[in-house]
């Protein structure tokens, strides 16, 4: 231990944890290869965690953002509301949302695709029902999947 335990001090625990404390409150911790700023390593309230797996910024255990080699994800109220990686998504995947990738932009309601926009054209509506389809050469307005 370095410093006065009733004030700011550094504490080495178990030979592998380095805690920066003020009195009994942990302000930051190095636990193995993970740094936690704003609290102890098990805290998910107003903390920043940096590890070999990535970075996490916590407001709470249900409101946070993570960044790793897979991309960047935002969690609000325990629900993923945005994800930016090889396929990017904005919105709750169980409800209305948009996803974008090299295959184009999809507007969805849960797993049902309501519209698709690609370099070759666009489709508005589900192709199994009434929809509008436009390509670089044709436009179709269909009342059912059986229309040609």
């Amino acid at each position: 231990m370095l410093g006065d335990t009733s004030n700011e001090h550094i504490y080495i625990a178990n030979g592998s944890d380095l805690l920066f404390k003020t009195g009994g409150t942990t302000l930051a911790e190095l636990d193995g290869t993970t740094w936690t700023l704003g609290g102890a390593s098990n805290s998910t309230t107003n903390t920043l965690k940096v590890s070999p797996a990535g970075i996490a910024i916590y407001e709470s255990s249900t409101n946070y953002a993570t960044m790793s080699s897979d991309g960047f994800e935002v969690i609000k109220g325990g629900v993923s509301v945005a994800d930016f990686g090889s396929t990017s998504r904005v919105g709750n995947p169980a409800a209305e949302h948009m996803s974008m990738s090299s295959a184009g932009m999809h507007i969805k309601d849960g797993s049902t695709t309501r519209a698709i926009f690609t370099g070759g054209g666009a489709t508005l509506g589900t192709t199994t029902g009434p929809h509008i389809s436009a390509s670089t050469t044709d436009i179709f307005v269909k009342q059912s999947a059986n229309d040609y």
Side-chain angles (χ1 to χ4, degrees):
M1 179 171 32
L2 178 62
D4 179 357
T5 58
S6 61
N7 294 303
E8 288 78 20
H9 63 281
I10 299 171
Y11 177 71
I12 300 173
N14 305 323
S16 65
D17 291 349
L18 183 63
L19 292 92
F20 295 82
K21 301 180 88 171
T22 181
T25 304
T26 301
L27 303 175
E29 181 175 351
L30 174 60
D31 184 1
T33 59
T34 301
W35 271 104
T36 302
L37 303 176
S41 63
N42 62 349
S43 176
T44 55
T45 302
N46 299 320
T47 57
L48 169 70
K49 295 180 183 284
V50 180
S51 74
I55 297 171
I57 303 168
Y58 287 91
E59 192 272 328
S60 70
S61 62
T62 59
N63 297 300
Y64 58 94
T66 61
M67 184 170 51
S68 69
S69 60
D70 291 333
F72 181 76
E73 184 173 21
V74 178
I75 308 294
K76 176 79 173 151
V79 175
S80 175
V81 294
D83 192 357
F84 302 94
S86 57
T87 298
S88 295
R89 176 188 40 79
V90 177
N92 180 343
E96 291 79 14
H97 65 281
M98 294 187 310
S99 67
M100 295 155 278
S101 69
S102 59
M105 181 176 78
H106 297 236
I107 298 175
K108 300 178 117 187
D109 183 4
S111 62
T112 303
T113 300
R114 300 292 183 190
I116 303 170
F117 299 88
T118 67
T123 301
L124 302 175
T126 58
T127 56
T128 58
H131 66 279
I132 300 169
S133 177
S135 71
T136 56
T137 58
D138 297 307
I139 296 176
F140 294 98
V141 177
K142 297 187 176 189
Q143 293 179 336
S144 72
N146 298 324
D147 291 349
Y148 294 101

